[in-house]
Amino acid sequence: MTYQPVRGTGTRPSGPSGEPGDGSRRGAGRPLAAWCAALLLAGVSVVVGCRTAGTDGITPVPQLLAFLPWLLVPTGAALLFSLLARWWTGLVWGVVALALLAWFIEPYGDSTEPDGTPLAELRVLTSNVEFGHGTGSLVPEIRRWKPDVVFVEECEYTCQATLQRDFGDTYPHRREVVAGGSAGSMLLSRYPLRGTDGVPGTMGMPGAVADVRGHNVRLQLAHPMPPLPGQVGLWRRELGRLRDFGAADRRTPTVLAGDFNASQDHAAFRRILDTGLHDAARLAGHDRTPSWPARTAGVIGAQIDHVLVSRDFSAGDARFLRLASTDHRALLVDLTLHQRR
């Protein structure tokens, strides 16, 4: 008997035991890949959309905005899924999201430094010691680097007693909010201080005016509430009070330092910069160096600890110091006060 092949039936070759061939299996996986891409892009787009609109939105947007550069990872995964699914709309969507992220990762604000005559050098250290637990590791860093002004957040009773005992002679001028837990704070200075009312907040934010070699410098510790779920409004209000402090006096040289619980990707923090303050870490070339959480800062983290300065200052160097028993890195910056032209 002669075998006659059947033509034009349109059937696909089958695998063993009648299973569909590789082409069918690939085709069946495309809808799943497209769904994965769409979900990732939708989440990224909500955060990027709020960043574009200049708003911090509601939970979980403020929390995710702190890690904005890391959204490149899910965006890249979405592009890969879109490519596997041959979903051209997703590819275009992903490229647009990627371009916006790349744009926003660039440092925010003006970085022009003063060119007036240098008047004084000022080394500033800020550290959140996490309920006082990191005080023991902060003490040797203060001795090593010898800062002129020290801002310490979450410095409760034991922390304050330790710093007064160990540095009473080195830093004879102090301002503090005496409280337990995260509410306590302390400002230490080699220079004479004239106390101010500080900035009101849930956690202590003392302030002062320092006499730095005959020049008045406003000093203000920053420690607003973090944007916890249900407390985003409070976080925004307290950052607004820090913004009001920055805008209240643009003539006197100013240093506003501490744990802001916010990064340059938060609209509430950018409004503080818009008063004319500059981020000293950015001036020193460390605009994206993470300071929190300290345990993962080498891999993933956010820069929420800042030293903001008025346009009277230039920044020569910035160091993020690892301390034991606290979830924040300390920030040390070398500043130069210049005469205004």
Side-chain angles (χ1 to χ4, degrees):
M1 179 182 292
T2 303
Y3 173 75
Q4 296 291 336
V6 180
R7 301 174 184 273
T9 60
T11 58
R12 294 178 180 268
S14 297
S17 303
E19 293 179 358
D22 291 341
S24 296
R25 286 197 295 270
R26 285 196 298 268
R30 288 175 187 166
L32 178 60
W35 271 106
C36 290
L39 288 173
L40 289 171
L41 288 172
V44 170
S45 296
V46 169
V47 180
V48 174
C50 288
R51 178 65 175 85
T52 304
T55 177
D56 293 319
I58 60 175
T59 300
V61 174
Q63 295 83 0
L64 292 174
L65 277 169
F67 299 95
L68 186 80
W70 307 103
L71 295 182
L72 291 169
V73 175
T75 305
L79 283 169
L80 179 59
F81 282 128
S82 298
L83 186 62
L84 293 174
R86 297 183 184 177
W87 184 35
W88 311 124
T89 301
L91 283 172
V92 174
W93 187 1
V95 168
V96 171
L98 201 63
L100 288 171
L101 284 170
W103 175 265
F104 291 134
I105 286 173
E106 289 296 309
Y108 178 83
D110 181 28
S111 62
T112 304
E113 293 194 344
D115 57 1
T117 303
L119 300 174
E121 303 291 328
L122 189 67
R123 175 169 283 182
V124 175
L125 174 67
T126 178
S127 177
N128 181 324
V129 292
E130 193 179 6
F131 308 112
H133 300 318
T135 307
S137 56
L138 176 63
V139 167
E141 295 297 334
I142 293 176
R143 288 180 175 143
R144 176 186 180 189
W145 296 105
K146 300 177 175 59
D148 299 300
V149 180
V150 184
F151 298 84
V152 190
E153 303 84 58
E154 300 194 17
C155 185
E156 40 67 78
Y157 306 114
T158 303
C159 167
Q160 293 184 3
T162 299
L163 295 179
Q164 289 178 15
R165 182 192 67 225
D166 290 3
F167 300 108
D169 295 333
T170 308
Y171 300 97
H173 311 286
R174 297 184 297 273
R175 294 287 292 173
E176 62 271 322
V177 173
V178 180
S182 63
S185 57
M186 198 168 195
L187 194 164
L188 306 173
S189 173
R190 296 181 187 273
Y191 300 108
L193 297 178
R194 184 174 75 251
T196 66
D197 293 335
V199 173
T202 308
M203 296 182 287
M205 294 191 280
V209 176
D211 180 354
V212 180
R213 304 189 186 281
H215 305 281
N216 287 337
V217 176
R218 292 197 304 161
L219 303 177
Q220 176 60 52
L221 184 146
H223 194 204
M225 284 292 289
L228 300 173
Q231 294 184 338
V232 172
L234 178 59
W235 165 77
R236 190 179 290 113
R237 286 194 299 274
E238 293 191 352
L239 283 170
R241 292 170 190 164
L242 292 171
R243 186 264 173 206
D244 293 341
F245 166 82
D249 183 355
R250 304 194 186 194
R251 294 179 177 272
T252 306
T254 297
V255 177
L256 173 59
D259 170 14
F260 285 77
N261 281 308
S263 74
Q264 71 169 38
D265 298 307
H266 290 107
F269 180 75
R270 293 196 301 277
R271 293 187 187 105
I272 300 175
L273 297 178
D274 289 342
T275 65
L277 297 178
H278 297 167
D279 196 319
R282 181 199 172 178
L283 296 179
H286 295 276
D287 54 279
R288 286 286 182 183
T289 302
S291 64
W292 173 90
R295 294 172 183 83
T296 62
V299 179
I300 183 173
Q303 188 180 116
I304 63 174
D305 298 88
H306 308 273
V307 174
L308 306 186
V309 296
S310 59
R311 60 189 178 92
D312 310 271
F313 291 94
S314 61
D317 196 10
R319 301 176 181 88
F320 288 86
L321 311 176
R322 295 177 179 271
L323 303 181
S325 303
T326 174
D327 57 348
H328 288 254
R329 287 179 173 181
L331 172 58
L332 180 79
V333 295
D334 290 327
L335 304 173
T336 300
L337 174 64
H338 295 257
Q339 184 175 18
R340 284 195 182 182
R341 295 199 170 192

